[in-house]
Amino acid sequence: MRNSVVGLAMLAGVALAPVLVASPTVAQEMVKLGYIDPLSGGGASVGEIGLKHFQFLAEELNAAGGLAGKKVEIVPFDNKTNPQESVVQAQKAIDQGIRLLTQGNGSSNAAAISEFVTKYNDRNPGKEAIYFNYAAIDPILTNDKCSYWHFRWDASTDIKMAALSNFMKDRPNIKKVYLINQDYSFGQGMRKVSNEMIKAKRPDIQIVGDELHPLLKITDFAPYIAKIKASGADSVVTGNWGQDIALLLKAAADAGLQVDWYTYYAGGAGGPTAIKQTGLSHRVFDVTEGNANDAPEAAQKFETAFRARYGGVTVWYPRAVNQMRMVAKAAKDAGSVEPKAIAAKLEDMRFPLFDGGEGWMRKDDHQLFQPMYIRSFGPLDAGKKFDEEGTGWGWKVQGTVKAEDTIVPTTCKMERPK
Amino acid sequence: MLELITFSTLNGVLYGMLLFMMASGLTLIFSMMGVLNFAHASFYMIGAYFGFEISRRIGFWPGFIVAPLLVGAIGALVERYGLRRVHKYGHVAELLFTFGLAFIIEELVQMFWGKLPVDYRVPPSLDFVAFRLFDTTYPAYRMFMLATAVAMFVFLFLVLKRTRVGLIIQAALTHPSMVAMLGHDVPRVFMAVFGVGAALAGLAGVIAGPALVTQPSMAALLGPILFVVIVVGGLGSLAGAFVASLLIGLVQTFAVAINASLADVIGPSADIFGDLGRVTVAQIAPVIPYLLLVLVLVFRPTGLLGNRES
């Protein structure tokens, strides 16, 4: 049986030979990237859209020659927003021979994968795996729990909060702030930095509420909104993502809560629709690494093509674009898709970013530093192209933080391979 | 403060009534057939998805009527061609059957509608502000949910207490074999109760879908709370299910509003509990129903209003 298969393959090879000469891409080897993120449950709404980003980016890379000449294929794994499941899925990916991994949603999952990959690499020298983190932003991942095999393209919580609190500092109408976050590693970290930074920069601001709620389990935020209302807060600061931000805003709209929102992820699925419903024009802010409406032409083209392809879905993750392009450059420079070679080239890389400016992958902790933007959501200005979720409202940049101003110290002491 | 209490009460009662719409069917089915129907919350989910599908094609109101009927029919079929066949192998087989069914339904829903939440909207005719109190608005749709749940409760109560069918069902609750001896077609009563129970869960899904989130995990999120409700209320007791639903709805909503921790109550000596001493009531709100479950089972195994010792 095996002989006949080989024979057939050889026959096919002979038959295809002229074609091969004509288009070398057919004969290209594959390199697989394991995408480990929630594809079911409360985190699925963001996980599915993240997957689309990577599939789109893989096509872009493949059209331009792939990763060091190899075609990229994205293989999705559902981690159900659960750290144990993330490790199971990472193991599954590695068992299939996939040694490039990426994940973004949930810092608890990220920590589990980072630790797993590091241990795996210790035990399997020569067969290392590498973990590209595009969105898990707990500072611990590039500090106490940093790893040589983990690279992060998203700004960590402290960087984002530094940017956001600098912006809040100059807004005198903020007097009473309510904090609401998800009860897990990232949410707790978020609560800590927002408390510290707001108190340091604006001691006059009163923190009237400091809430933690279960992660991705609440379907009705009305009780929390009643509490925010009762606290007399004029502003809410939240790191909620996925359905936790969309439903929070939806409940706020239902109750007619009139406050300013300082968020990390209000742009996620369902968020823009809910903001429009609240009628809070330019009173909901987020902090991110790019804005389609003010992006360079190439990025706007990318945005248009992406939206056309996926029925209006927005490019949420300019960082994923930066990630894949930087990985491609590293692979090209190294002439290899070996994780070890890619990691060596990524360290200290400087790269022109998707949304303009230059990114720098710091060698000490593998954190990318990049310009950050504070945006607000409201009716589109004339001449701006991109609204969100068909609302007619779009994001507008209100403040920019230069990459060099986002640099924070690190306590990372990583073990480097010999 | 008054504002917080008012709205917490409203939200709590609403959540409680929604729980009751599902718990009523579940507790009736359990007491009659001795089966804890693990797939009950799945009927709630099917109801929401059917409601979504119909409202997207024809409108919300046809969906409001048709979707629960469809779900009820599916429930009756499940009983007739599934549970009844498994019945002769005993309760464990029935339990496992419903357990498997819940997973199958979740997978089917994901196959048809995908894993992402669907855009099930509040109908325009109910999309306005019902009233404004202390500067907080309350959506009309929530009032509608509340009204539906109350109407359903009254209907169920009248059927059970005032009709002949209700008489047979009540008899079957406590003395199933005696009812059969008297010549009633108990399997058909079972099928009807199962169907109506599923339809009620479906109705809850239709009205909860737009207000909460219509997604494949909605059954799994709600299922465990339902069991708490029927155990706390007393298995088979409709009044008990009603009281327990409201109790859990209110407890969960009010717990969210309470910021006190053990340390606030007993002072620094709470440090002997470590971090637990500083956790606020709001943070442990999701656990409270299960705590209640354990306490009820320890101190009053029959539940608040239950009297059956099975």
Side-chain angles (χ1 to χ4, degrees):
Chain A
M1 181 64 201
R2 176 161 297 167
N3 276 339
S4 64
V5 171
V6 173
L8 264 178
M10 281 171 70
L11 262 180
V14 172
L16 283 173
V19 184
L20 287 182
V21 177
S23 66
T25 46
V26 178
Q28 267 183 355
E29 278 181 81
M30 298 289 273
V31 53
K32 290 179 177 172
L33 174 73
Y35 173 85
I36 306 173
D37 256 321
L39 298 170
S40 63
S45 59
V46 284
E48 287 276 349
I49 289 177
L51 179 59
K52 291 191 170 87
H53 281 69
F54 282 96
Q55 285 166 338
F56 194 80
L57 284 162
E59 281 172 33
E60 185 191 72
L61 275 184
N62 291 338
L67 268 189
K70 294 191 165 109
K71 246 181 156 34
V72 187
E73 188 195 336
I74 309 295
V75 187
F77 295 91
D78 180 10
N79 71 359
K80 305 187 173 84
T81 332
N82 175 311
Q84 284 86 16
E85 191 65 26
S86 300
V87 170
V88 169
Q89 296 301 326
Q91 178 71 59
K92 212 165 120 188
I94 290 177
D95 288 347
Q96 292 179 19
I98 301 172
R99 288 157 60 199
L100 309 181
L101 304 174
T102 192
Q103 181 271 351
N105 294 303
S107 289
S108 46
N109 307 324
I113 295 177
S114 178
E115 200 182 329
F116 170 76
V117 166
T118 309
K119 281 186 183 155
Y120 176 86
N121 291 352
D122 280 348
R123 289 195 303 265
N124 299 278
K127 288 198 269 178
E128 289 88 353
I130 186 168
Y131 163 36
F132 310 124
N133 170 3
Y134 70 93
I137 61 171
D138 189 333
I140 205 162
L141 295 164
T142 49
N143 284 290
D144 295 355
K145 284 193 178 173
C146 68
S147 159
Y148 179 78
W149 303 103
H150 162 265
F151 289 83
R152 171 155 66 195
W153 272 266
D154 199 1
S156 63
T157 308
D158 38 0
I159 297 174
K160 289 193 183 189
M161 187 42 75
L164 202 58
S165 54
N166 271 340
F167 180 71
M168 293 170 71
K169 191 176 68 186
D170 301 327
R171 293 176 62 89
N173 62 333
I174 306 179
K175 295 198 168 60
K176 290 180 172 179
V177 165
Y178 199 99
L179 309 176
I180 180 164
N181 289 295
Q182 296 151 321
D183 197 358
Y184 80 114
S185 57
F186 159 67
Q188 289 155 4
M190 174 80 194
R191 161 195 219 185
K192 189 167 158 270
V193 293
S194 15
N195 260 310
E196 287 169 4
M197 291 189 183
I198 293 172
K199 275 180 194 150
K201 288 174 189 168
R202 276 284 299 276
D204 60 308
I205 289 182
Q206 207 186 333
I207 292 178
V208 292
D210 187 357
E211 193 85 53
L212 288 177
H213 65 77
L215 172 66
L216 299 175
K217 288 216 161 56
I218 294 178
T219 48
D220 184 9
F221 275 95
Y224 293 94
I225 295 296
K227 204 173 162 188
I228 293 173
K229 181 95 200 177
S231 73
D234 53 49
S235 306
V236 177
V237 177
T238 177
N240 279 13
W241 55 270
Q243 69 173 34
D244 281 344
I245 183 73
L247 297 177
L248 183 65
L249 287 166
K250 188 175 164 185
D254 279 346
L257 181 68
Q258 296 287 317
V259 295
D260 290 349
W261 292 81
Y262 297 90
T263 76
Y264 279 14
Y265 303 114
T273 306
I275 302 172
K276 174 83 189 289
Q277 202 193 336
T278 60
L280 294 174
S281 166
H282 292 297
R283 290 181 65 186
V284 180
F285 301 88
D286 78 348
V287 51
T288 182
E289 72 280 15
N291 184 37
N293 280 321
D294 306 289
E297 204 183 319
Q300 295 210 354
K301 253 190 197 144
F302 184 99
E303 179 87 34
T304 309
F306 188 84
R307 287 182 178 212
R309 173 70 171 280
Y310 295 115
V313 172
T314 306
V315 179
W316 285 347
Y317 300 119
R319 45 194 180 268
V321 183
N322 294 328
Q323 171 181 319
M324 289 309 281
R325 289 179 180 174
M326 283 174 75
V327 168
K329 179 167 190 293
K332 194 176 159 210
D333 291 352
S336 159
V337 292
E338 275 299 309
K340 209 169 165 175
I342 291 180
K345 289 290 175 192
L346 278 176
E347 284 201 315
D348 250 342
M349 183 188 276
R350 287 180 186 273
F351 192 82
L353 295 170
F354 180 64
D355 276 274
E358 190 184 62
W360 169 47
M361 181 59 80
R362 182 161 69 182
K363 192 175 177 182
D364 302 340
D365 59 349
H366 296 181
Q367 168 71 51
L368 183 83
F369 292 95
Q370 57 198 327
M372 299 299 296
Y373 304 89
I374 313 281
R375 310 182 300 174
S376 69
F377 193 66
L380 271 185
D381 287 348
K384 298 295 182 190
K385 274 194 277 189
F386 301 108
D387 73 336
E388 301 290 324
E389 297 183 348
T391 54
W393 284 22
W395 292 99
K396 182 181 179 181
V397 170
Q398 299 286 359
T400 309
V401 187
K402 286 191 218 123
E404 50 268 36
D405 293 338
T406 67
I407 292 173
V408 288
T410 176
T411 60
C412 173
K413 289 188 189 67
M414 62 175 68
E415 259 180 64
R416 290 166 190 281
K418 278 146 209 128
Chain B
M1 196 62 202
L2 186 64
E3 179 182 2
L4 186 62
I5 292 172
T6 313
F7 280 95
S8 291
T9 310
L10 266 175
N11 289 325
V13 168
L14 179 60
Y15 183 56
M17 289 306 284
L18 212 57
L19 281 181
F20 173 69
M21 285 178 85
M22 280 171 280
S24 53
L26 187 59
T27 199
L28 279 180
I29 290 167
F30 177 82
S31 47
M32 242 180 209
M33 309 164 117
V35 182
L36 254 185
N37 179 15
F38 277 100
H40 201 71
S42 305
F43 290 117
Y44 158 76
M45 174 161 73
I46 302 180
Y49 273 96
F50 280 5
F52 160 70
E53 201 56 44
I54 297 171
S55 74
R56 157 163 96 160
R57 286 163 201 283
I58 316 174
F60 177 82
W61 297 107
F64 179 67
I65 308 289
V66 176
L69 293 178
L70 282 177
V71 177
I74 291 176
L77 289 176
V78 163
E79 200 284 330
R80 177 66 187 83
Y81 295 103
L83 265 186
R84 201 178 295 182
R85 280 164 193 252
V86 185
H87 185 67
K88 52 179 171 286
Y89 303 106
H91 285 335
V92 175
E94 289 179 295
L95 198 76
L96 292 176
F97 173 79
T98 63
F99 194 69
L101 189 65
F103 284 102
I104 293 172
I105 292 176
E106 185 172 330
E107 285 301 321
L108 283 177
V109 162
Q110 287 184 5
M111 277 164 66
F112 279 104
W113 287 283
K115 289 176 173 174
L116 298 188
V118 294
D119 185 22
Y120 187 8
R121 295 208 180 159
V122 170
S125 51
L126 284 173
D127 196 6
F128 58 93
V129 169
F131 60 87
R132 177 180 283 273
L133 205 65
F134 314 107
D135 204 34
T136 296
T137 55
Y138 205 74
Y141 190 75
R142 281 178 180 257
M143 292 308 292
F144 164 72
M145 285 167 76
L146 197 60
T148 310
V150 171
M152 190 224 69
F153 173 67
V154 172
F155 167 76
L156 205 61
F157 187 81
L158 289 180
V159 167
L160 284 177
K161 296 285 175 199
R162 295 277 180 271
T163 66
R164 199 178 146 71
V165 178
L167 210 63
I168 299 169
I169 293 175
Q170 280 196 65
L173 285 181
T174 44
H175 304 87
S177 46
M178 182 56 85
V179 175
M181 297 285 192
L182 289 171
H184 291 287
D185 186 353
V186 172
R188 219 177 74 189
V189 175
F190 279 8
M191 189 174 90
V193 169
F194 201 93
V196 171
L200 287 180
L203 180 63
V206 174
I207 62 169
L212 307 178
V213 196
T214 305
Q215 58 180 0
S217 59
M218 62 196 288
L221 283 178
L222 207 70
I225 288 280
L226 278 187
F227 294 118
V228 175
V229 168
I230 64 163
V231 172
V232 169
L235 293 166
S237 162
L238 207 57
F242 182 71
V243 172
S245 299
L246 284 182
L247 179 72
I248 285 173
L250 287 170
V251 162
Q252 266 203 308
T253 316
F254 272 97
V256 164
I258 300 172
N259 268 337
S261 65
L262 207 54
D264 296 333
V265 181
I266 59 174
S269 57
D271 279 349
I272 53 166
F273 297 107
D275 278 346
L276 205 60
R278 282 182 295 277
V279 170
T280 64
V281 176
Q283 255 173 289
I284 58 162
V287 190
I288 293 177
Y290 303 100
L291 195 67
L292 202 63
L293 173 76
V294 173
L295 290 178
V296 165
L297 283 176
V298 170
F299 294 107
R300 199 180 156 83
T302 53
L304 294 178
L305 299 176
N307 43 22
R308 225 166 80 135
E309 294 276 355
S310 61

